[in-house]
Amino acid sequence: MFSILIPSYNNLDYLKTCINSLKKNSKYDHQIIIHINEGTDGSIQFIKESNLEYTYSENNIGMPKALNKSSLLAKFDYILISHDDFYFCPGWDTEFVNEINIMK
């Protein structure tokens, strides 16, 4: 349904919480794309082991470039930008879908 872009800069514990909330509280099957800046906290290993799509930069390239780079992997028409410290509550995606359908 959505391609969700999540840039992360050495924020592994929050990133795990964010991803877990997406998996737990999403009704639809979304594409989760992480951009790892540096990843010296174990983020890159975690993402590889989680089989999530990701892009990577050895240095912190900042949010705009991270989003541009990760957006190249997006496969859905709708792109959602998230921070790595967001928590997605139950029903978050159904609300978005309802609003999109109203606008059509």
Side-chain angles (χ1 to χ4, degrees), residues 65-80:
K65 285 184 180 179
L67 292 172
N68 286 339
K69 193 170 181 178
S70 59
S71 71
L72 298 175
L73 300 179
K75 64 181 181 182
F76 291 116
D77 291 336
Y78 297 104
I79 294 177
L80 185 126

Side-chain angles (χ1 to χ4, degrees), residues 7-81:
S8 187
Y9 177 58
N10 293 330
N11 206 11
L12 181 57
D13 290 336
Y14 284 104
L15 179 61
K16 285 180 180 180
T17 300
C18 179
I19 292 168
N20 288 335
S21 73
L22 278 167
K23 290 181 177 182
K24 176 183 173 187
N25 296 322
S26 297
K27 177 181 177 182
Y28 301 98
D29 187 27
H30 304 291
Q31 176 188 25
I32 301 171
I33 307 167
I34 313 298
H35 179 84
I36 301 294
N37 283 300
E38 290 185 9
T40 57
D41 64 342
S43 297
I44 192 73
Q45 293 82 6
F46 168 73
I47 293 303
K48 287 179 181 179
E49 292 168 3
S50 299
N51 294 318
L52 293 169
E53 294 179 71
Y54 71 95
T55 55
Y56 171 73
S57 57
E58 209 171 283
N59 299 307
N60 183 8
I61 60 173
M63 188 172 180
K65 285 184 180 179
L67 292 172
N68 286 339
K69 193 170 181 178
S70 59
S71 71
L72 298 175
L73 300 179
K75 64 181 181 182
F76 291 116
D77 291 336
Y78 297 104
I79 294 177
L80 185 126
I81 296 170

